[in-house]
Amino acid sequence: MSEHKDFNTAVIDEFRSNDGNVGGGFEGAPMLLLHSKGAKSGNERVNPMVYADLGDDGYAVFASKGGAPTNPDWYHNLVANPETSIEIGAETIPVTARVAEGEERERIWSKQKAAMPGFADYEQKTTRQIPVIILTPKR
C-alpha cells in the first residue's frame, strides 16, 4: 500500500472512531469523508478532506492536491459520477456534486483562502485553476 493510502486510511479510521474529529495537522479543521465511484473502475473510493459549510447550499470541497499540476483522482471520479455521499460527523449524507464556475467559484474560493491560508499557498504552487466542487444534499 502506498504511503498516501496508508495516511488516508489512518485519517479515515480516526474520523470514524471519533465522530468526525481528527487530530494532527487536521485538528480543528472541518473534515468530511467523500465517497466517489472510480470513473474507470467503478470501485468505491473514500477520501478525507477539508470542506466549507455553505449553509442551505450544501458543502464545498477543493481539488487542490497540495498545489500539484494535476487534479486529484477523486475530482475526475465526481465529474464522471456526481451522485455520491459524504460522511460528516457520524452522519452519512447523499449528495450531488457539481463544479462551481465563475463568480460562485471565486466567492467560495476567496473565502476558503482567507479562512485557511494554506489553500492560497497551493494556488501559488500550480498554474491550473483549483476546482471548487459543490456537494448539494439530496432532499
Side-chain angles (χ1 to χ4, degrees):
M1 191 178 290
S2 76
E3 209 173 295
H4 179 72
K5 285 185 180 179
D6 286 343
F7 177 79
N8 277 356
T9 299
V11 173
I12 290 165
D13 290 346
E14 183 178 2
F15 181 100
R16 289 179 171 157
S17 296
N18 297 297
D19 293 327
N21 296 306
V22 296
F26 294 117
E27 188 166 356
M31 296 285 299
L32 61 74
L33 300 183
L34 174 70
H35 293 247
S36 63
K37 186 189 301 186
K40 293 179 186 172
S41 70
N43 295 334
E44 182 178 74
R45 314 271 189 231
V46 179
N47 294 93
M49 60 190 62
V50 169
Y51 72 93
D53 188 336
L54 303 177
D56 291 341
D57 294 329
Y59 310 92
V61 292
F62 310 92
S64 63
K65 199 177 177 183
T70 60
N71 290 323
D73 292 343
W74 63 259
Y75 169 79
H76 301 289
N77 294 343
L78 285 182
V79 169
N81 300 296
E83 302 301 318
T84 191
S85 64
I86 57 175
E87 294 175 53
I88 295 181
E91 185 178 7
T92 299
I93 304 166
V95 297
T96 302
R98 68 176 175 81
V99 179
E101 303 287 344
E103 184 279 327
E104 178 185 42
R105 181 211 173 268
E106 290 305 316
R107 177 176 39 82
I108 295 166
W109 180 240
S110 293
K111 189 174 178 183
Q112 184 66 16
K113 290 188 300 182
M116 299 185 81
F119 283 91
D121 294 340
Y122 301 151
E123 185 176 53
Q124 294 302 311
K125 292 179 182 179
T126 187
T127 57
R128 68 183 171 91
Q129 183 179 68
I130 294 174
V132 174
I133 298 83
I134 307 298
L135 304 169
T136 305
K138 294 180 184 176
R139 311 241 187 256

